């Protein structure tokens, strides 16, 4: 009889120890989304496509709140590429910006932004049409 009491006590202790942890895990998922401004050099390579996909996935899960996507590369296809990806992920109004002064201007040797811009819808046709990156940061 004592043996079964110890086992029940152990189960009760185990249950009571885990019960608050369950609420703690659930509470973590109900936190406010983290505001994010993604700064990317999208263009020279396509790793930033993955970063944008992660940002949008976290937003879909309620864990992130995208404020803007900024390009630190002023190549004429960076902002149209960002616009295409934001459109694909259903965030057509997400602001973007690009440096207006001295900045990198690097295209992709694989020509993948040219393929995207030629094939998919976008509102911004070239990066020079986008707002200034610093102004976009300040507004976001």
């Amino acid at each position: 009889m004592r043996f079964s009491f110890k086992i029940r006590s152990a189960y009760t202790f185990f249950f009571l120890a885990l019960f608050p942890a369950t609420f703690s895990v659930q509470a973590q998922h109900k936190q406010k989304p983290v505001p994010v401004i993604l700064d990317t050099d999208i263009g020279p390579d396509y790793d930033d496509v993955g970063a944008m996909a992660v940002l949008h996935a976290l937003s879909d899960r309620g864990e992130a709140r995208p404020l803007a996507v900024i390009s630190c590369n002023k190549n004429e296809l960076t902002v149209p590429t960002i616009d295409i990806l934001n459109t694909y992920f259903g965030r057509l109004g997400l602001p973007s910006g690009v440096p207006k002064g001295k900045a990198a201007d690097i295209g992709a040797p694989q020509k993948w932004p040219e393929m995207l811009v030629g094939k998919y819808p976008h509102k911004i046709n070239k990066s020079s049409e986008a707002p200034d990156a610093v102004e976009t940061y300040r507004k976001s």
Side-chain angles (χ1 to χ4, degrees), residues 79-81 83-84 87 116-126:
V79 177
T81 302
D83 189 33
I84 289 166
T87 300
L116 288 178
V117 169
K119 189 172 182 178
Y120 295 101
H122 53 285
K123 292 180 185 174
I124 300 174
N125 293 314
K126 52 187 180 175

Side-chain angles (χ1 to χ4, degrees), residues 43-46 107-115:
D45 47 36
Y46 35 82
Q110 308 92 345
K111 305 293 184 200
W112 65 273
E114 287 86 347
M115 184 276 303

Side-chain angles (χ1 to χ4, degrees), residues 90-111:
R91 292 183 178 81
L92 287 78
L94 190 59
S96 57
V98 68
K100 295 298 182 178
K102 187 176 179 182
D105 184 349
I106 307 167
Q110 308 92 345
K111 305 293 184 200

Side-chain angles (χ1 to χ4, degrees), residues 39 70 79 119 124 131-132 137 139:
D39 191 318
I70 307 294
V79 177
K119 189 172 182 178
I124 300 174
D132 180 58
Y137 269 114
K139 288 180 183 177

Side-chain angles (χ1 to χ4, degrees), residues 49-81:
V49 174
M52 287 188 68
V54 169
L55 172 66
H56 288 290
L58 290 171
S59 180
D60 291 344
R61 292 177 51 149
E63 296 179 32
R65 184 171 52 93
L67 301 176
V69 179
I70 307 294
S71 174
C72 62
N73 177 3
K74 69 178 190 176
N75 182 273
E76 288 294 2
L77 296 178
T78 57
V79 177
T81 302

